[in-house]
Amino acid sequence: DAKTTQPNSMESNEEEPVHLPCNHSTISGTDYIHWYRQLPSQGPEYVIHGLTSNVNNRMASLAIAEDRKSSTLILHRATLRDAAVYYCILRDSESYNTDKLIFGTGTRLQVFP
Amino acid sequence: DVKVTQSSRYLVKRTGEKVFLECVQDMDHENMFWYRQDPGLGLRLIYFSYDVKMKEKGDIPEGYSVSREKKERFSLILESASTNQTSMYLCASSFIRPSGANVLTFGAGSRLTVL
């Protein structure tokens, strides 16, 4: 399974943009990039995913490098509710029936007022 | 609002007891998963199931078994609980799709302490 590398922790001030990086140098052509986050005392929740093109949704944006060896999750205006652990995960599109995601230890984002 | 419900948020059991962790989803998802989460180790997959009565081992199945008799319910069983199984247990579910676009929906977790 291709692996991802993320910083252990990052800090931001409220209402500032946050760029959370993820390296995945061994990514294959069929791997989707998924981001989940885990708020304190909750299970992980889906944030966004993409394959090659940049993606936007109501929660965040995903910027994918042209060579796909790295990606960045962008929170446009951090709020205190965005303080969480953010996981970058690769999902193999060819594993049709085995939809397992391999979670790493993620990036703990602290947001200060 | 669709969701995954885990029967217990907190459990305390004694070494050697048989423990059942129950998970129910109301989204008609084919796939269901059990993960455990420990500090510094992230989430690790224990077992998953892609159909009723089907199960597959994840990365750390030792000491655990599972049961999926109905599509909506996936149970994790600790036949003889040990202290090293003290952990947060997370259930998740997803549809099967022939692409990498599947999204997992997680429950809130069950924190198990084995004394």
Side-chain angles (χ1 to χ4, degrees):
Chain A
D1 291 320
K3 296 289 188 282
T4 63
T5 304
Q6 300 176 254
N8 288 333
S9 63
M10 293 185 66
E11 297 178 353
S12 175
N13 293 319
E14 206 174 6
E15 300 196 3
E16 289 184 355
V18 180
H19 291 233
L20 297 166
C22 181
N23 288 318
H24 28 79
S25 58
T26 59
I27 192 170
S28 75
T30 55
D31 284 340
Y32 276 74
I33 302 157
H34 284 241
W35 283 82
Y36 284 72
R37 72 178 186 181
Q38 188 171 18
L39 302 172
S41 302
Q42 296 187 27
E45 63 176 350
Y46 167 79
V47 177
I48 200 167
H49 75 276
L51 183 62
T52 56
S53 303
N54 294 344
V55 183
N56 299 298
N57 67 21
R58 63 175 180 81
M59 290 181 70
S61 296
L62 176 60
I64 301 173
E66 195 169 336
D67 64 5
R68 300 206 331 122
K69 293 184 184 300
S70 66
S71 61
T72 303
L73 180 72
I74 302 166
L75 307 179
H76 295 285
R77 290 182 64 202
T79 70
L80 297 178
R81 289 190 299 271
D82 291 323
V85 178
Y86 287 79
Y87 297 98
C88 169
I89 302 147
L90 300 182
R91 160 71 170 89
D92 183 3
S93 65
E94 292 187 344
S95 59
Y96 180 78
N97 274 345
T98 56
D99 187 19
K100 60 178 186 177
L101 295 180
I102 308 299
F103 285 77
T105 53
T107 297
R108 181 172 297 279
L109 175 66
Q110 291 182 282
V111 180
F112 298 105
Chain B
D1 196 14
V2 293
K3 57 185 174 183
V4 176
T5 303
Q6 295 185 229
S7 55
S8 305
R9 284 301 302 268
Y10 300 95
L11 302 92
V12 179
K13 299 291 182 180
R14 297 202 174 275
T15 301
E17 280 192 74
K18 190 169 185 176
V19 181
F20 291 88
L21 299 178
E22 305 286 344
C23 175
V24 177
Q25 51 95 3
D26 62 2
M27 296 167 281
D28 203 32
H29 284 170
E30 295 93 348
N31 291 328
M32 296 190 75
F33 307 82
W34 276 105
Y35 290 85
R36 66 175 281 178
Q37 183 172 31
D38 302 288
L41 296 176
L43 279 76
R44 294 179 291 167
L45 182 64
I46 305 172
Y47 267 97
F48 63 99
S49 167
Y50 54 86
D51 200 356
V52 175
K53 298 192 185 295
M54 304 299 290
K55 61 184 180 183
E56 296 283 345
K57 292 180 180 179
D59 300 315
I60 51 164
E62 297 78 17
Y64 303 94
S65 62
V66 290
S67 172
R68 188 146 181 224
E69 297 296 320
K70 293 185 178 181
K71 189 176 185 180
E72 67 270 18
R73 187 180 297 270
F74 192 36
S75 303
L76 181 69
I77 303 156
L78 288 67
E79 293 288 343
S80 178
S82 63
T83 55
N84 63 12
Q85 292 178 309
T86 292
S87 186
M88 170 69 82
Y89 290 87
L90 290 158
C91 176
S93 69
S94 73
F95 283 116
I96 288 179
R97 290 201 182 93
S99 75
N102 303 50
V103 170
L104 264 63
T105 302
F106 282 84
S110 298
R111 183 166 295 281
L112 172 67
T113 302
V114 183
L115 301 175

